Amino acid sequence: MARIRRNVWNLPAGDETLLWYGRAIGEMQQRPITDPTSWRFQAAIHAYVRRADPLAVQGERLPSAALRRQFWSQCQHGSWFFIPWHRMYLHFFEQIVAAEVANLGGPDDWALPYWNYSADEESRLLPEAFRDPTLPDGTQNFLNVPERDPACNAGQQFADDRDVALRTALIQAVFSSSNANNFGGFPTNFSPSGSGPGQLERVPHGSMHMAVGGAEGWMGAFNTAGLDPIFWLHHANIDRLWQVWLNRDPTHRNPTSLQWLSRTAFSFHDASKRVVTMRCLDVLDTNALDYTYDDVSDPLAAPVLEEGFAAVEPETEAAMPDDTVPPELVGATETSVKVGNTHSRIRVPTPAHAAAQGRFLDVTEAAEVAPEPRILLQLENLTAGGRANSYDVYVNIPDGEDPTKHPERFAGRLDLFGVAEASRAGAEHPGSGLTYTLDISGIYKQLSAAPDWNPENIDVSMVPVRNWEGATVTVGRVSLFFA
Amino acid sequence: MSLAVVMRNRAPGKGLRRFFWTHPEWWSLGLAALAWGAVVSHAGGATIVSGAGRHQEHVHHSISVPHIMPFQVEFLYWCLMVVAMMVPLMLAPLRWVAFQSFRQRRHRAILLFLVGFLLPWMLVGVVPAWLRTFDWSYNPLLASGTFGLAALWVLGPVRRHALVFCHLTVPLAPSGWNADRNCLRFGLIIGASCIATCGLLMLACAFTGHSLIAMLGGTLLGVLEFRSFRPPTGYIFAGALVLAAWFLLPISSAWLH
């Protein structure tokens, strides 16, 4: 009988799923970091940097360098492995917690709940069981960590509609492609911080990491995210959305490339501490992993909470450009730009717009089917010395006007989850920072129809999302592509 | 799709035009192929596939009159070897600089990247070319030992960091002197990282007299490694050791006799 992962907000009164989760965490936290079933080892699988470990104890023994290299800092981001790798990660974590729950005398079919924050405003709040540092009986509540955005633990709204928006991710026609129009990320090799996040990885995944983590919380950094118990419920929801995407349209399919399916393997420890190696091929069906979700219905079939997007998003599924033709550069900034905690405006000259469009159609096989190229706005090599704010990106906001008053010019949200780690060259990252690609075809079409349209440049506005001071972000280049 | 579009898509030259559009790096691979051709034609004959056999000859010669090449010739071989072995590994960054540039600048961007990439390799190449002007450098023990060192180097943290750094990307200005400088600088950075990663292996290949076995083995290891942030370190280590053992064979067989 498969375990059933349920929405944390719909657990019936008196349900003990979270109670047992907390108890199991308490036990796992007692174990040394060298134990693969310990809480810290599990978090380190995502990412680990000794100097950034908030629970480090001077003189403590770490696993051997070879073991660390094989099992720690394995998280896949900016890549088509993002979704399947996290499914594997959660699968073994759930096994370990379930074994501990059973060991403590709890139910044998314990399953990790998921946090569906996109249903309505209330569901965006942090579930109550995670807010208080102590339980009603005065003992420690292991589901709570103080290292979160203060509003989050206070039971107040800390995320907005755009943080939990599902539409952009779910309407993608393909799982992976080498342009921005995909659900699951760009094709890459093993990739701890690739430059091709899929739409799901960007929002709601990255945006909710940053919303919960706030200025200093654990969820806001690769190295500490797994230490927060809510991390696992957040990722269970991301995992569920993979199935939602597959179910909502029969044309939605997983990649068939062998590079994705079988050529890249990842190693984990199971509940009995045995090493298990898995490939994407092994995690395509959740039933084969002994779990299902209580709800994988299509949230877009009903009205969803995404007022800000309605004006610019396509009415139908995103048209698929010919992925075998690489996008063509139309314009870019000459130098890098520093962006702080106020609204920044960046002018992008686009001298090649007309020539590019003509040549592009000439080599595109499907010219008659998709006569208009997709317009991609790329923000490249975003780097920062510390945790940075998230930014909303707008295009061509009239001079002196407030971008937030122009939802029709909203291009997308940059979560910047992991920007500090991706900016530092080291054993896991080359230091290139993060790169985001936003599809602005709808806005571009709208703008180009206006009588005062100047195709020689576009203005990109970056507006900080959260009300805390983040590190200054260096945007390596802003560019425009036709795809 | 209308018949007109179908006919246009099948028009002569359409496929070729599409190929050149989607693969602007084609000529750099041609360059590597030419370099391989030059190396193979130099090696020539039956001995080209037998590194051990060839070195047996060298061992024999080193006792009497070794075939010592002048510095310029050795340096030329080094350059050919680098182009043949390293340029194919650069496919990803070559395509990256091309598609981050305006269409009319793509080949220029590739060229400048290659110049930047090859420059540090050429500078480093002076050392093996000079060493090869001494007859003691023809001792297969030196080649074998350098492969052994390369195998050990694979296990070290410096090399691991350098390999990750090989996957760096940097923002490129779209036009003008800034764009040229960015491409050149990017090539220099990747070239320097590549030396830290593969330099010892290439040095060992040079000490084998640019043996085809060594070069093919080294290229295979490079391809295995460069396609991932997390290379199969064990395989690379073992591969370098196999090469070390291969070039030790002539000495051991000489001892046995």
Side-chain angles (χ1 to χ4, degrees), chain A residues 68-70 72-74 189-192 259 263 322 324-335 351-352 356 359-369 378 380-381 425-432 476-477 479 481, chain B residues 1-5 8-10 14-15 17-18 21-24 95-96 98-104 106 155 157 160-162 164-179 182 226-230 233:
Chain A
R68 295 203 303 269
R69 211 164 36 248
Q70 187 180 357
W72 286 12
S73 300
Q74 298 284 304
N189 292 312
F190 186 101
S191 169
Q259 171 67 15
R263 285 195 188 135
D322 183 351
T324 60
V325 180
E328 174 160 6
L329 181 69
V330 171
T333 49
E334 279 289 334
T335 56
R359 279 195 300 266
F360 193 87
L361 292 181
D362 193 38
V363 294
T364 306
E365 297 288 356
E368 194 184 54
V369 180
Q378 195 158 287
E380 303 167 18
N381 301 101
E428 310 300 333
H429 309 280
S432 308
R477 184 174 93 158
S479 52
F481 286 83
Chain B
M1 197 180 290
S2 74
L3 184 64
V5 172
R8 201 184 72 173
N9 286 339
R10 289 182 182 171
K14 172 86 178 178
R17 208 160 65 245
R18 189 187 167 90
W21 170 285
T22 52
H23 295 282
R95 285 178 63 75
W96 189 83
F99 290 114
Q100 292 294 307
S101 305
F102 287 132
R103 186 174 183 262
Q104 67 273 18
R106 283 178 184 167
L155 303 177
R160 268 202 304 280
H161 284 221
V164 170
F165 214 60
C166 289
H167 295 268
L168 180 79
T169 61
V170 297
L172 303 178
S175 55
W177 163 237
N178 276 345
N182 290 164
F226 198 75
R227 54 194 289 276
S228 176
F229 275 86
R230 282 289 170 96
T233 309

Side-chain angles (χ1 to χ4, degrees), chain B residues 85-215:
Chain B
M85 293 175 70
M86 290 294 136
V87 170
L89 301 183
M90 289 297 113
L91 266 189
L94 285 172
R95 285 178 63 75
W96 189 83
V97 291
F99 290 114
Q100 292 294 307
S101 305
F102 287 132
R103 186 174 183 262
Q104 67 273 18
R105 285 189 52 90
R106 283 178 184 167
H107 296 298
R108 184 185 177 118
I110 288 175
L111 178 68
L112 287 162
F113 174 86
L114 279 178
V115 169
F117 175 77
L118 293 172
L119 196 65
W121 275 109
M122 300 302 119
L123 290 176
V124 167
V126 171
V127 178
W130 174 68
L131 291 177
R132 293 280 293 171
T133 59
F134 301 100
D135 56 359
W136 55 262
S137 72
Y138 286 71
N139 189 330
L141 200 58
L142 187 63
S144 177
T146 314
F147 274 123
L149 274 180
L152 290 177
W153 184 242
V154 167
L155 303 177
V158 175
R159 186 177 185 282
R160 268 202 304 280
H161 284 221
L163 185 63
V164 170
F165 214 60
C166 289
H167 295 268
L168 180 79
T169 61
V170 297
L172 303 178
S175 55
W177 163 237
N178 276 345
D180 292 345
R181 195 184 54 189
N182 290 164
C183 291
L184 196 69
R185 183 172 162 270
F186 183 45
L188 278 167
I189 294 170
I190 299 296
S193 309
C194 202
I195 288 171
T197 313
C198 303
L200 269 177
L201 199 72
M202 295 297 277
L203 191 63
C205 289
F207 286 146
T208 67
H210 313 283
S211 140
L212 268 188
I213 289 282
M215 285 178 63

Side-chain angles (χ1 to χ4, degrees), chain A residues 3 18-19 26 30 47-48 53 138 216 242 267 273 278 323 331 333:
Chain A
R3 300 170 196 279
L18 293 177
L19 190 70
Q30 300 297 316
Y48 186 84
D53 179 356
E216 295 171 333
W242 183 9
S267 297
K273 303 181 189 178
M278 279 195 145
D323 192 35
T333 49

